[in-house]
Amino acid sequence: MAWPGIDTRNPWGIRSADSCRDGLLLTVEDEDVNREVPGESMASELVRACLPRLSEEGELRGIPGLRYTVQDKSIRLYRIGLAGSVTLAGVDTDQWLTAIDAVTRDTESTDTFLCHQQTPDRWHSSESSTRNPAAQDMYTQHHRRIIASSWLASGILRRAPLLRTIGVPLSTTAWTNPSRDGGREWIIEYIHEPIAEAPMHHGGFQNLLTDPECGIPLVVTDFDCTCHQPADAGYACRLYACSPTGSPGEIQVRFPRRLGRRLAHYTADRNDYAARRSLYQRLPASLLPVPEH
């Protein structure tokens, strides 16, 4: 969930998330604006990040077992043998197919390949095994951690638009590390401009993220607040949470703020900055943080 080639307005480029029991519809942005690398797109980023392929070094890249279909101008992603799918709307299907052609040419020039092209209906041997036994053990352990923490990963993606309640979205990235409970820890870094009318920019988000109806089943274990530091210092408050029932998986959300000179980089393009400001969403009054006395 980190796009190095493009700069999105929405957190992770996700405009909206519409979920059901066994599926997720993600509507993503794919505008050719404010891109650091000309010609890059959300489609090319997703193809490189998701579709499994063998690298020049013999390592598997992408998501093992992942396959796709093109349906009604949308991309449906699924894993062989598993229920559930993710449908990507907003991605230009022609750009998706063009990106696959480009990756295919790159792999052919290095004598590597995209796994789905060789075995479209089953797992390729390179997706489930490796020549190095030690690497295989590491992969198996990594995969078990991912499966154990899938409830958290699904919950985060389903609620990605909630990040827009913190302030003006400037940049969002995320990565995972092994957690202490046998699962994965998601680290989310949400760089934003705080809104003056919501000085405790993280308190409302915490209430929203842990709300019984619209949040995720989480309990906050720690909170490191740096709001008392100078406004232009760029410090990041941090929230730590885990499952209240002991399910493997943890989450850490970092809230780096940008004001003054640190904000100048994001306000250079006035139209883009105005579009980012329009994404901010007010929290319901019932979820606003309680003022401290």
Side-chain angles (χ1 to χ4, degrees):
M1 298 303 298
W3 312 130
I6 59 177
D7 181 19
T8 63
R9 288 173 178 166
N10 294 268
W12 294 316
I14 298 175
R15 293 180 183 273
S16 63
D18 185 11
S19 59
C20 57
R21 179 177 176 82
D22 60 351
L24 177 63
L25 171 63
L26 295 180
T27 303
V28 302
E29 66 179 69
D30 200 24
E31 303 171 4
D32 189 19
V33 295
N34 203 31
R35 296 285 158 82
E36 296 181 1
V37 181
E40 285 291 337
S41 67
M42 181 66 80
S44 59
E45 286 284 341
L46 288 165
V47 165
R48 290 193 295 261
C50 296
L51 294 186
R53 67 188 188 280
L54 203 63
S55 70
E56 295 182 62
E57 298 78 18
E59 297 179 354
L60 185 69
R61 304 284 176 83
I63 303 173
L66 189 76
R67 299 295 185 267
Y68 77 91
T69 58
V70 179
Q71 300 175 344
D72 300 326
K73 297 183 179 180
S74 298
I75 311 297
R76 176 177 170 265
L77 303 176
Y78 64 94
R79 292 188 76 193
I80 296 175
L82 293 179
S85 63
V86 174
T87 300
L88 302 172
V91 176
D92 187 286
T93 54
D94 290 336
Q95 287 187 358
W96 174 272
L97 297 175
T98 299
I100 290 179
D101 289 341
V103 174
T104 299
R105 289 193 298 271
D106 291 341
T107 56
E108 288 177 347
S109 65
T110 57
D111 198 27
T112 57
F113 55 85
L114 287 163
C115 297
H116 75 273
Q117 293 178 326
Q118 295 201 359
T119 55
D121 301 320
R122 58 183 175 83
W123 283 55
H124 190 273
S125 58
S126 64
E127 295 177 276
S128 56
S129 64
T130 180
R131 299 174 184 175
N132 187 335
Q136 173 63 32
D137 292 341
M138 185 178 298
Y139 169 80
T140 301
Q141 184 179 10
H142 173 75
H143 187 69
R144 286 174 179 169
R145 287 181 179 271
I146 290 176
I147 294 298
S149 305
S150 60
W151 67 274
L152 179 57
S154 176
I156 293 172
L157 290 180
R158 291 167 187 264
R159 293 162 180 82
L162 299 187
L163 290 166
R164 291 184 293 191
T165 63
I166 299 172
V168 179
L170 302 176
S171 178
T172 311
T173 190
W175 62 96
T176 64
N177 288 328
S179 61
R180 296 163 295 181
D181 56 15
R184 302 292 294 178
E185 179 192 25
W186 272 68
I187 299 95
I188 300 172
E189 187 168 82
Y190 182 73
I191 300 177
H192 68 290
E193 177 192 11
I195 298 295
E197 63 192 47
M200 295 299 290
H201 51 284
H202 48 63
F205 174 75
Q206 175 180 329
N207 293 342
L208 188 59
L209 188 65
T210 57
D211 183 75
E213 293 187 8
C214 55
I216 308 175
L218 291 170
V219 57
V220 176
T221 57
D222 196 8
F223 199 98
D224 181 17
C225 181
T226 62
C227 287
H228 61 281
Q229 299 289 343
D232 197 26
Y235 289 99
C237 304
R238 299 190 183 194
L239 177 150
Y240 302 85
C242 64
S243 167
T245 61
S247 298
E250 299 175 351
I251 181 174
Q252 175 190 156
V253 186
R254 304 175 181 179
F255 308 95
R257 54 186 183 272
R258 296 291 183 265
L259 292 167
R261 59 183 176 80
R262 291 179 176 269
L263 183 62
H265 169 73
Y266 300 97
T267 59
D269 186 329
R270 293 186 178 182
N271 292 332
D272 178 68
Y273 177 63
R276 290 176 184 272
R277 287 193 65 88
S278 68
L279 294 175
Y280 169 70
Q281 295 182 353
R282 294 175 181 267
L283 273 170
S286 59
L287 294 174
L288 290 173
V290 179
E292 295 183 1
H293 299 288

